[in-house]
Amino acid sequence: MQPGSTQDPAPLPWLTRLQALFDQKYRLSRALVGRAMDGFGAEWAADFESVLETFCADDEALQAAVKGYVAFAMDSMRRQKAFEASGAYPVKSYAQAADEVYLNDAHMMQEYLPGLLLSHFLWPHHYRQLRFFDTAFVAPMALGAQPRFAEVGVGTALYSRRLLSRVARATGAGYDISPSSCRFAERHLAAAGLDQRYTMHQHDVLDGGLDPVPWLVCVEVLEHLERPVEFLRALRAGLAPGGKAFITAALNAAHADHIYLYRSGEEVLAHLHAAGFVLEQSFVATAHAPASAGAPVPAAAAFVVC
Ligand SMILES: C[S@@+](CC[C@H](N)C(=O)[O-])C[C@H]1O[C@@H](n2cnc3c(N)ncnc32)[C@H](O)[C@@H]1O
C-alpha cells in the first residue's frame, strides 16, 4: 500500500516511512495504515502526516515513536485477553496506577505517550472520536465569542493541539498530574508552534483550582479513577455558566492504568448526570465487531455536555 495513492497524491513522507517501518520490523501492524486510508481517506492521511511531522524531529524520533506504539499496543492486547477471560480489570488503586504509569518517566516518554498519540490515528474508534470532537466541539467553539478552554488529563496534547490550531483566537490551559505528560505536551505544542497561547499546569484537579472556562475537554481520564463522579464534580465546577464540556471514557478496554470498568455509554452518562452535567450530544465507536454475541469490545464513548 502506498499512502496517498489517490489521483493527485499529496506527498506523505512521514506516513510512507511509518508504513516502511511496519513492513520491515513490525509486520503485525502493517495493515493499519492501509485500513485507515481505506476507511478515512486523504483527510486522515493529511491529518496524521501533520502530527507526525511536528512530533518527529527526525527519523530516529519516528523509529522510537513506532517502537513505543508497538509496545503499547502489544501490552494492551495482552491485558485485553485477560479482561475478556475474567470480565474484570485487575484490582488496582489509583495510587498504584500512578506509580506504575503516570510517575514512571521512562514508560511515559518511551511507550505510553507516543503509543497513545499514534493510536489516535491508527485505531479506528480513536480516530472516529477525534472527528466527532471536530464537528461537535471544535466547530462550535470556533464560532463562539470566547474561545478560552482548559483540558484536564492532557496526556499527548493532541486534543489541545486541535483546538489551538483550528481556532485561531483560542487560548488554553492544560492540567495533568504526570510530570512526563506535562513535558510531552509542552514539547508537542512548541513543535507545532502553538505554545504561545497555552499554559501547562502539573496539577490534580481533585485538589480544586480549576479556573472556570467556557470550553472544557477531558479525554480518557474517567476510567483511570477510583471515584469518577467526584472527579466529574470537580470538572463541573470548572465549567463557566453557559459553557460546554467534551468528556470521554474508554469502555471495555484493559490498560495498565484503567481501574474503573465502564461497560456501556449509559454508565458514563449516569455518572455525568450525577455530577450535574446535562447531555447535548453523544457518540460511541467500537474498535471492531464482537468475537461472539455479547462479547465485550473496546469502545470510545464521547459526550458534549453543559
Ligand atoms: C489516557 S491519558 C489521557 C489522554 C489524553 N487526553 C490524550 O488525548 O492524549 C490519561 C492522562 O490523565 C492524567 N491524569 C490521571 N489522573 C489525573 C488527575 N486526577 N488530574 C489530572 N490529570 C490526571 C494522566 O497523567 C494521563 O496523562
Side-chain angles (χ1 to χ4, degrees), residues 72 94 98 101-103 108 112-113 116-117 120 129-130 151-160 175-182 184 201-207 217-225 231 248 257-258:
F72 175 81
Y94 178 69
V101 183
Y102 321 130
L103 304 177
M108 290 296 281
Y112 186 95
L113 292 165
L116 201 54
L117 185 64
H120 282 305
Q129 177 170 281
L130 205 49
E151 182 174 3
V152 177
V154 170
T156 64
L158 181 65
Y159 280 76
S160 285
Y175 299 85
D176 202 294
I177 53 158
S178 164
S180 316
S181 291
C182 293
F184 189 97
H201 308 269
Q202 188 189 331
H203 181 67
D204 186 338
V205 297
L206 284 169
D207 296 336
V217 176
C218 181
V219 171
E220 293 204 6
V221 182
L222 299 183
E223 66 279 6
H224 298 240
L225 303 161
F231 180 84
T248 83
D257 53 346
H258 288 186

Side-chain angles (χ1 to χ4, degrees), residues 39-40 43-44 47 116-117 119-139 151-154 156 158-160 162-163 166 217-224 245-253 255 258 262 264-265 268 272 281-287 298-304:
F40 302 118
E43 198 186 323
W44 170 86
D47 201 0
L116 201 54
L117 185 64
S119 82
H120 282 305
F121 293 90
L122 293 173
W123 296 0
H125 58 309
H126 277 190
Y127 193 65
R128 286 198 184 98
Q129 177 170 281
L130 205 49
R131 296 210 308 191
F132 175 65
F133 179 66
D134 292 343
T135 52
F137 198 82
V138 182
E151 182 174 3
V152 177
V154 170
T156 64
L158 181 65
Y159 280 76
S160 285
R162 237 157 156 89
L163 289 173
R166 293 178 182 214
V217 176
C218 181
V219 171
E220 293 204 6
V221 182
L222 299 183
E223 66 279 6
H224 298 240
F246 182 86
I247 300 176
T248 83
L251 315 178
N252 299 309
H255 287 270
H258 288 186
Y262 284 109
S264 68
V268 186
L272 287 162
Q281 286 189 64
S282 66
F283 169 88
V284 175
T286 51
F303 303 81
V304 177

